[in-house]
Amino acid sequence: MYRLEEKTFLVLLVTASLAFAWILWPFFGAILWGTVMAIVFAPVFRRLSESMRQSPSAAALTTILIIIVLVILPLMLIATSLMQEAASLYDMIHAGKLDFGLYFHQVWDALPAWIQKMMVQLGLTNLVAVQEKLAVGLRQGSQFFATQILNIGQFTFHIIVNVCVMLYLLFFLLRDGDALFRNIKKAIPLQAEQQRVLFAKFTTAVRATVKGGIFVAILQGMLGGLIFWFLGIHAPLLWGVIMAFLSLLPAIGASLVWLPVAIYLLATGALWQGLILIAFGALVMGLADNFLRPALVGKDTKLPNYVVLISTLGGLQIFGLNGLIIGPAIAAMFMVVWEIFSATRQEHRNDIDSP
């Protein structure tokens, strides 16, 4: 009878938890980013709490004001300017003022004769046809991207509601985070050492993803947009945002944008612009990725680049923009859980082998 009561309560527990998650699902993004902000800005909150005579509510409000000024307001300004550039770019593509096929033909015609001859010898005689297909794909992709940017305006109310929910939740996560964390630890049926390692690795992984991934991506996007603006390339903010997203993917990065543009500039006779773009992309943007990212991520939780790449792409495919955090976080949890499992099994074997 006791076992039946246990099973009944377990079913009730799971059912209530799933129902609660179902109710909260419309605000999943707000809850996720509120939790991420609470983890990332927890050190700031602790310092403010110490300086404000241990007043958690005042420290939490001050931390939220800092987040609004440093994160939310700049993102709103960028989004407004981005929609304007996206609308302009979409109109140019729709009117045929931007012909990607023509650009590829110009690059092909500007190649030295020996390179063209080598490509023919390698069997790349259908390169022009490949360029045409790629141009069509780029045109369609640009139109889709511009259209999606324009659609953001239709969800302004939804975005405002989610931001308000995120900030409201963030206040309580900052103020009552320690007590909530203790209650979660009590409810999880794991050993104390396993809980310590699991939570420590998860927290560090989230902070590393934000600081070493998103922060560096924003920096590279800003640098890329700045050099595009300096060289007079159309829609520098839009290309900067694209480079920021691509910078989240290791081993790919923003070079997928600035390198083809640099090649086109060189091929069309704009030698100094192309050389400046190559030098800036390889030295300034490359150094930001190669030196700043490891310094922000640290050595303890640095995932292999191929794991970050696959988990980020998978997270984006399944969860959309939220996958930027969820993908690497799940990958970090996967690695940590298997490390704990391996260490536990090794300890068990040592206990068996010991006399």
Side-chain angles (χ1 to χ4, degrees):
M1 190 66 179
Y2 179 70
R3 182 171 296 180
L4 177 61
E5 293 176 350
E6 275 189 337
K7 291 181 178 180
T8 303
F9 180 77
L10 182 60
V11 171
L12 179 62
L13 177 65
V14 172
T15 303
S17 300
L18 292 177
F20 185 65
W22 179 49
I23 292 174
L24 296 181
W25 184 253
F27 299 101
F28 171 75
I31 296 172
L32 171 68
W33 288 101
T35 305
V36 169
M37 289 293 180
I39 293 174
V40 172
F41 285 89
V44 177
F45 165 74
R46 294 192 186 97
R47 290 188 179 183
L48 290 174
S49 181
E50 293 174 358
S51 62
M52 292 182 175
R53 298 180 180 180
Q54 302 296 327
S55 176
S57 297
L61 284 175
T62 306
T63 306
I64 290 176
L65 290 177
I66 293 174
I67 294 173
I68 291 174
V69 173
L70 296 182
V71 179
I72 296 178
L73 289 181
L75 286 178
M76 292 175 61
L77 294 175
I78 291 174
T80 302
S81 301
L82 183 61
M83 285 189 289
Q84 295 175 354
E85 285 196 357
S88 175
L89 181 63
Y90 179 78
D91 291 338
M92 294 180 66
I93 294 174
H94 188 69
K97 296 180 180 180
L98 291 180
D99 190 347
F100 293 104
L102 177 61
Y103 299 153
F104 282 115
H105 280 297
Q106 289 176 338
V107 174
W108 172 257
D109 295 336
L111 291 175
W114 64 271
I115 294 182
Q116 294 182 0
K117 182 179 179 180
M118 182 179 65
M119 289 183 173
V120 172
Q121 292 176 350
L122 293 174
L124 300 177
T125 55
N126 293 327
L127 183 61
V128 176
V130 174
Q131 291 173 341
E132 292 291 347
K133 293 181 180 180
L134 186 58
V136 173
L138 286 173
R139 188 182 300 111
Q140 294 175 348
S142 300
Q143 291 175 344
F144 174 78
F145 183 80
T147 304
Q148 294 302 312
I149 294 295
L150 292 174
N151 288 337
I152 293 178
Q154 301 176 4
F155 302 100
T156 303
F157 178 76
H158 177 73
I159 293 174
I160 292 175
V161 171
N162 276 271
V163 170
C164 292
V165 171
M166 183 195 74
L167 294 176
Y168 181 78
L169 176 65
L170 179 59
F171 172 81
F172 293 101
L173 288 177
L174 289 171
R175 192 190 68 175
D176 307 325
D178 292 338
L180 179 63
F181 178 68
R182 288 193 296 268
N183 291 332
I184 293 175
K185 288 182 64 176
K186 292 177 181 178
I188 296 179
L190 291 175
Q191 298 178 6
E193 181 63 18
Q194 291 176 339
Q195 287 185 355
R196 186 192 66 80
V197 174
L198 190 64
F199 282 106
K201 292 289 186 179
F202 176 76
T203 302
T204 309
V206 172
R207 288 177 181 167
T209 301
V210 174
K211 293 191 300 181
I214 296 179
F215 177 77
V216 173
I218 292 174
L219 177 61
Q220 286 194 318
M222 292 175 57
L223 293 173
L226 181 63
I227 192 63
F228 273 40
W229 170 81
F230 176 77
L231 296 176
I233 298 172
H234 182 72
L237 180 61
L238 179 61
W239 293 119
V241 172
I242 294 175
M243 282 187 277
F245 277 107
L246 291 175
S247 298
L248 293 167
L249 306 177
I252 297 179
S255 60
L256 282 178
V257 174
W258 64 259
L259 185 58
V261 174
I263 294 174
Y264 171 76
L265 293 174
L266 294 174
T268 54
L271 296 180
W272 71 269
Q273 292 96 329
L275 293 175
I276 288 177
L277 184 55
I278 291 176
F280 189 88
L283 297 178
V284 179
M285 297 176 66
L287 289 177
D289 185 62
N290 295 328
F291 288 94
L292 189 58
R293 190 190 301 269
L296 292 174
V297 173
K299 298 179 180 179
D300 295 335
T301 59
K302 182 171 176 58
L303 297 173
N305 284 337
Y306 63 89
V307 175
V308 177
L309 174 62
I310 296 174
S311 62
T312 302
L313 290 175
L316 288 171
Q317 181 70 26
I318 298 175
F319 301 102
L321 290 179
N322 295 326
L324 295 175
I325 295 293
I326 299 176
I330 290 177
M333 290 291 290
F334 172 81
M335 304 283 283
V336 171
V337 169
W338 276 99
E339 287 178 5
I340 294 176
F341 176 74
S342 178
T344 304
R345 283 183 58 85
Q346 187 62 41
E347 292 178 0
H348 183 65
R349 290 176 181 175
N350 293 337
D351 293 338
I352 294 177
D353 294 339
S354 60

